[in-house]
Amino acid sequence: AAIVERNQIVSLHYRKARLLIVTEGRAMERGGEGDVVRVMNLASRNAVFGRIAADGSVHVGPTPEG
């Protein structure tokens, strides 16, 4: 079941070691928990890929967490 819909505003989380950066993004596709989707970072307008977490946030970075 999809928990993120296309064009939905989602929370983007980037984590590396003890560093955590959180910003907003727009989902470019729909998906469920654990799916890898493309998301546009609203601050930079860059498209990134990330894994959808159970709470609907999207985790991006060297190892997208779920």
Side-chain angles (χ1 to χ4, degrees):
I3 57 175
V4 170
E5 296 294 330
R6 186 173 189 273
N7 290 322
Q8 179 179 334
I9 302 298
V10 295
S11 177
L12 286 177
H13 293 224
Y14 174 88
R15 180 184 305 272
K16 186 168 183 180
R18 291 185 286 166
L19 173 69
L20 173 63
I21 299 171
V22 179
T23 190
E24 288 187 327
R26 181 177 302 277
M28 300 177 84
E29 32 191 333
R30 72 190 302 258
E33 180 181 358
D35 290 343
V36 175
V37 293
R38 203 167 108 181
V39 179
M40 181 176 50
N41 179 324
L42 294 179
S44 68
R45 298 287 194 204
N46 287 325
V48 296
F49 286 92
R51 187 172 307 278
I52 300 174
D55 64 359
S57 63
V58 178
H59 295 249
V60 299
T63 54
E65 299 175 18

